C-alpha cells in the first residue's frame, strides 16, 4: 500500500531532473534545467505567491473564527451544540464540484468573482471542518478548572483567555492552521470555478499550463509543491513532541 502511495510522488521528483525536453526518467545524466525554467517562468512564481497569501489569509481567519466557535460549543454546550458542530463540518459531505458551482453563483451575486476576497471566503468554507474539529478536540482536553481558578484569583475573562486558554491550546491552534494552510494551498476542484485570469493559484496555473504544453517543467513545479506540502506535515509530526497538557 505504501508503495502505491509513494511511487507516483517519487517518479515525478525523479523525472524532474531529466535533461531531456520530454518526460523521461534520467538514469545517467541529471539536470536542474527544468527547475531553472520553472523559477524563471513568471506565471508560476506569481501563482505560487498568490497561493501562499490565499492559504495564509484563509487559514488565519478560519482558525480565529473556529476557535471562538469551538470555545462556545465546548464551554457552553446546549441542545443545539451537536447540530451546530455537524453544520460546521457539513462541507465535507458536499461534492467539491457541486460546492464550486454553488460558490460561483454566490460570489457572482455579490460581485466577488475573480477577486481575492471571494477566493478567501470560498477557501475558508472548505477548510472550516478541519479547523473546527481540531480546535473542538483541543479545547475539550483543556481543564475548565484552570480557567475558573484564574478568574477566582482576579483575572478578567480576557486576561484568562490570553494567559491560560490560548497557551494551553497552542498546539491545537498551530495544528489547525497547518491543516488549513495545506488544504487551501493544494485546493483545485472548487478553485477552478472561482478563478479568472487575474487570480490563478499554483495548482490552477499548472492545470492550465498542461493544456497548452507538456514538458518536464510541470514535474519540477510539482516537485517543489510536494516539498511545500511535506513541510507542514513534518511540523505536524514534530508537534507530537510537545509536552502533554496538564490534567
Amino acid at each position: 500500500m505504501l508503495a502505491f502511495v509513494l511511487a507516483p510522488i517519487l517518479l515525478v521528483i525523479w523525472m524532474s531532473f531529466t535533461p531531456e525536453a520530454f518526460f523521461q526518467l534520467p538514469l545517467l545524466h541529471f539536470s536542474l534545467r527544468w527547475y531553472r525554467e520553472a523559477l524563471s517562468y513568471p506565471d508560476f512564481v506569481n501563482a505560487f505567491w498568490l497561493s501562499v497569501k490565499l492559504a495564509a489569509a484563509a487559514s488565519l481567519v478560519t482558525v480565529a473564527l473556529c476557535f471562538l466557535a469551538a470555545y462556545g460549543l465546548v464551554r457552553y454546550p446546549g441542545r443545539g451544540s451537536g447540530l451546530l458542530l455537524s453544520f460546521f463540518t457539513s462541507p465535507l459531505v458536499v461534492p467539491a464540484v457541486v460546492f464550486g458551482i454553488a460558490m460561483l453563483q454566490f460570489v457572482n451575486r455579490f460581485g466577488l468573482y475573480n477577486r481575492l476576497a471571494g477566493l478567501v471566503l470560498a477557501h475558508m468554507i472548505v477548510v472550516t471542518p478541519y479547523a473546527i474539529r481540531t480546535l473542538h478536540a483541543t479545547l475539550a482536553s483543556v481543564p475548565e478548572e484552570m480557567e475558573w481558578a484564574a478568574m477566582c484569583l482576579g483575572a478578567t475573562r480576557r486576561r484568562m483567555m490570553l494567559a491560560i486558554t490560548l497557551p494551553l491550546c497552542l498546539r491545537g491552534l498551530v495544528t489547525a492552521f497547518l491543516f488549513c494552510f495545506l488544504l487551501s494551498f493544494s485546493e483545485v476542484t472548487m478553485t477552478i470555478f472561482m478563478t479568472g485570469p487575474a487570480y490563478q493559484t499554483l495548482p490552477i496555473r499548472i492545470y492550465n499550463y498542461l493544456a497548452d504544453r507538456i514538458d518536464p517543467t510541470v514535474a519540477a513545479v510539482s516537485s517543489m509543491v510536494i516539498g511545500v506540502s511535506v513541510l507542514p506535515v513534518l511540523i505536524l509530526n514534530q508537534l507530537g513532541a510537545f509536552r502533554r497538557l496538564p490534567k
Side-chain angles (χ1 to χ4, degrees), residues 33-42 44-45 217 220-221 224:
R33 167 188 176 185
W34 301 109
Y35 286 90
R36 290 191 293 268
E37 289 286 339
L39 293 175
S40 63
Y41 191 69
F44 281 143
V45 176
T217 304
V221 175
M224 289 187 281

Side-chain angles (χ1 to χ4, degrees), residues 114-126:
N114 197 31
R115 296 182 63 180
L116 185 60
L119 277 173
V120 171
L121 177 62
H123 280 232
M124 284 174 56
I125 298 174
V126 169

Side-chain angles (χ1 to χ4, degrees), residues 2-3 5-17 25 223 226:
L2 184 61
V5 174
L6 293 179
I9 297 175
L10 295 177
L11 285 175
V12 168
I13 297 175
W14 186 4
M15 201 177 301
S16 68
F17 293 101
L25 293 176
S223 299
I226 291 170

Side-chain angles (χ1 to χ4, degrees), residues 148-182:
W148 295 343
M151 296 183 71
C152 287
L153 292 173
T156 62
R157 180 167 292 277
R158 178 183 178 183
R159 181 169 177 77
M160 177 271 294
M161 287 286 290
L162 294 176
I164 303 297
T165 308
L166 284 176
L168 289 175
C169 293
L170 180 61
R171 179 172 60 180
L173 289 166
V174 174
T175 301
F177 175 82
L178 291 175
F179 266 132
C180 293
F181 185 91
L182 184 59

